[in-house]
Amino acid sequence: MPLRWEILHSEKLVHVVAEGPVTLKQMEEHFDAIVVANALSYSKLFDATLLEPVYDDHDVMMLGARLSAYTSNFDNGPLAVVGESEDAQMAFKRFVNISPSKRPAKLFSTEADARAWLATKPTRKPL
């Protein structure tokens, strides 16, 4: 599967790795799993180094609607995205722009830098 994640409850971290083409449906499944696991408030580390987004503007708007529903009911932890490609940078900008969440979000070139930044962010308890 091109989008894999693990929810590390002891670290209050969701680690996501995208390898290859990722569709809207796969992103929705990822968000649903995080909500069901009561991990939306956790820090997110998203490795988009090998991401190939496969969605159009309509899909992005649909994802934005889903994010609005999640963030209106649940606290959302900080997001660190790793990726230097144009696709990764564009996906990060689109995602941050459509998300109504006021959480901190930042793009990094290495996972080590992303982890270091996340370590400076306060952790939140799940609701």
Side-chain angles (χ1 to χ4, degrees):
M1 188 161 147
L3 189 62
R4 298 183 331 269
W5 63 87
E6 61 181 326
I7 299 171
L8 306 167
H9 292 287
S10 62
E11 297 176 43
K12 294 191 177 14
L13 175 72
V14 178
H15 186 210
V16 184
V17 178
E19 294 180 330
V22 176
T23 65
L24 173 67
K25 183 177 186 306
Q26 291 161 330
M27 290 296 292
E28 288 174 335
E29 290 170 357
H30 158 69
F31 288 123
D32 290 345
I34 290 172
V35 170
V36 168
N38 200 24
L40 202 56
S41 64
Y42 293 2
S43 297
K44 299 350 164 265
L45 175 59
F46 191 102
D47 185 343
T49 305
L50 300 175
L51 172 69
E52 295 174 28
V54 182
Y55 40 76
D56 59 22
D57 288 340
H58 179 264
D59 291 340
V60 171
M61 296 306 292
M62 295 299 293
L63 188 56
R66 181 166 285 215
L67 288 172
S68 292
Y70 289 152
T71 58
S72 66
N73 295 308
F74 303 100
D75 198 11
N76 208 347
L79 170 67
V81 176
V82 179
E84 293 185 311
S85 72
E86 188 175 321
D87 279 343
Q89 291 178 20
M90 182 62 72
F92 172 77
K93 289 177 186 174
R94 289 176 108 178
F95 183 78
V96 169
N97 286 335
I98 64 168
S99 175
S101 175
K102 302 299 183 213
R103 69 164 170 206
K106 192 168 178 182
L107 184 64
F108 296 89
S109 57
T110 70
E111 184 173 320
D113 289 342
R115 285 182 179 274
W117 179 78
L118 284 173
T120 68
K121 302 300 167 210
T123 57
R124 298 175 177 166
K125 294 181 181 178
L127 298 175

